[in-house]
Amino acid sequence: MKTRRTWRSPVNPQTSGQGERVGRWLAVMAGWLRGRRGWAVGSAAVIVLGLLGVWLFVPGGESGPPDPRARQYKDVDACLLTGEKGVAAGTPAAPVWAEMQKASLETRARVNYVPVMGPQTVENAQPYLNSLIQRRCAVVLAVGAPQVGVVESAAKQHPDVRFVVIGDASPGGDRRAENLTVAKSGAELGSSVADVIKGAVEESDSR
């Protein structure tokens, strides 16, 4: 009669104990990965691996030096107060905004605009002008009757700010503040806007 012999390796008690511990650990991990907790654990693992990748491939966690081609602006803001349509094409503020952008390219001053929303009145425009003053705009330009009116009233109260009103009407005689410029619409608009912004930048550089 033929018999089949099965050869078995001797069991190492230490190895067997380690195997049992690994098995229990895997069972616990499997339980954690079930249900909603599994999503949380998986998400945490992905986040940890992502941070590890950033740490390994980006030394110091930085993205490198700034692009030397990036435009560096002066710490001077020229702000335009407009009607509720802003600087949309066809509005009175559109050509003023275009000239401000040209002046920004030449002087590196920052330019922005704020439309007065709601009733187009001097009273409603006042809070918008106040916000520009609080933001320390070095130059404040105004387009539209309510905007021009609120700027004319506030110019003397803020002598450190250069104000520019756009239009044909201008305060006469002693009523005009020294820091208030009237820029006519048309061919002279660009030079008037550029001169005021340039003056603000030069004054800032001399400090």
Side-chain angles (χ1 to χ4, degrees), residues 75-201:
D75 189 21
V76 176
D77 290 279
C79 309
L80 175 62
L81 194 62
T82 76
E84 59 184 352
K85 294 184 179 180
V87 295
T91 61
V96 182
W97 179 243
E99 297 300 337
M100 290 175 64
Q101 290 179 309
K102 292 179 183 178
S104 176
L105 291 175
E106 297 175 0
T107 64
R108 292 185 293 161
R110 296 186 296 260
V111 295
N112 58 80
Y113 69 92
V114 173
V116 174
M117 307 304 295
Q120 298 298 296
T121 63
V122 172
E123 292 76 13
N124 188 47
Q126 185 67 58
Y128 292 89
L129 175 62
N130 293 343
S131 69
L132 299 182
I133 301 298
Q134 293 173 359
R135 287 165 50 183
R136 300 185 181 278
C137 294
V139 181
V140 174
L141 302 93
V143 181
Q147 292 76 21
V148 169
V150 73
V151 163
E152 289 177 350
S153 300
K156 288 186 177 181
Q157 302 173 15
H158 304 280
D160 295 335
V161 180
R162 297 169 184 254
F163 293 95
V164 181
V165 295
I166 312 300
D168 297 329
S170 63
D174 297 336
R175 290 187 299 156
R176 178 185 297 182
E178 294 181 359
N179 56 330
L180 178 63
T181 300
V182 178
K184 304 289 186 180
S185 301
E188 299 180 0
L189 177 63
S191 59
S192 299
V193 171
D195 288 345
V196 175
I197 295 178
K198 183 179 178 181
V201 172

Side-chain angles (χ1 to χ4, degrees), residues 18 56 109:
Q18 293 177 349
L56 289 175

Side-chain angles (χ1 to χ4, degrees), residues 54-76:
V54 172
W55 179 73
L56 289 175
F57 293 101
V58 182
E62 299 179 357
S63 59
D67 188 350
R69 295 171 298 178
R71 183 172 178 78
Q72 301 296 321
Y73 287 93
K74 300 279 189 177
D75 189 21
V76 176

